[in-house]
Amino acid sequence: MLRSSFSTSTTSAEVTKVDALCDFLEVYIHSVLYYRSAYPKTLFEDRSAFGILVKCSRHPELNQYILDAVSAVKTEFAKGDAAGDVMIEIIDEQSQPLESFVLEISTAKGLYDS
C-alpha cells in the first residue's frame, strides 16, 4: 500500500495486482476529495504516485480513514473472488449523499488471471 505517502518503496515484481489496484484506489479517493472540494484545498499537497504528481490530504485522521477503507476493500479483493464495484460517496453533515462515484472493478479484464 502507498499508505498516503505515495512513495513506491517496492519493486514492480513485489506488487500484486490487488496491491496495485488498492494503491490506485487510495490515489483515486484523495483525488475525488480534492477535485470535488469535499475538504478545503489547502488541506492537500502534491505527492508523487505512479510517476505523476497527485493531490494527497495532509490530515492524519482523514488519511487513516482512507487507509482503513482501502484496507477493507483489499481484504475483499484478496479473497480472489470476482471483484465487485467500489462506490465512493460524498455526504453532508447530516449524512445525506451529495455525490457518488463508482469504480467498475468488475469489468477490469485480467484482474484475477495468473
Side-chain angles (χ1 to χ4, degrees):
M1 295 285 294
L2 295 174
R3 292 178 290 281
S4 294
S5 65
F6 298 141
S7 62
T8 54
S9 59
T10 58
T11 64
S12 59
E14 298 171 331
V15 177
T16 67
K17 290 178 185 179
V18 170
D19 289 332
L21 181 60
C22 289
D23 289 349
F24 172 79
L25 181 58
E26 183 181 344
V27 172
Y28 179 76
I29 293 170
H30 282 275
S31 296
V32 165
L33 295 176
Y34 175 80
Y35 288 106
R36 300 311 299 157
S37 299
Y39 294 94
K41 297 219 184 245
T42 56
L43 185 71
F44 295 84
E45 63 187 2
D46 289 333
R47 297 271 180 92
S48 179
F50 311 114
I52 60 171
L53 284 179
V54 296
K55 295 295 184 180
C56 176
S57 160
R58 295 181 291 114
H59 195 282
E61 290 176 26
L62 176 58
N63 292 347
Q64 189 59 54
Y65 182 82
I66 293 168
L67 286 174
D68 291 346
V70 171
S71 179
V73 171
K74 182 177 183 176
T75 299
E76 293 302 311
F77 287 162
K79 290 178 181 177
D81 299 328
D85 297 336
V86 176
M87 183 171 81
I88 299 167
E89 194 165 64
I90 298 175
I91 58 174
D92 64 14
E93 293 82 16
Q94 291 78 35
S95 297
Q96 296 300 310
L98 298 174
E99 289 185 282
S100 297
F101 300 85
V102 177
L103 285 174
E104 294 182 354
I105 305 300
S106 59
T107 62
K109 292 187 179 265
L111 182 60
Y112 291 103
D113 297 342
S114 301

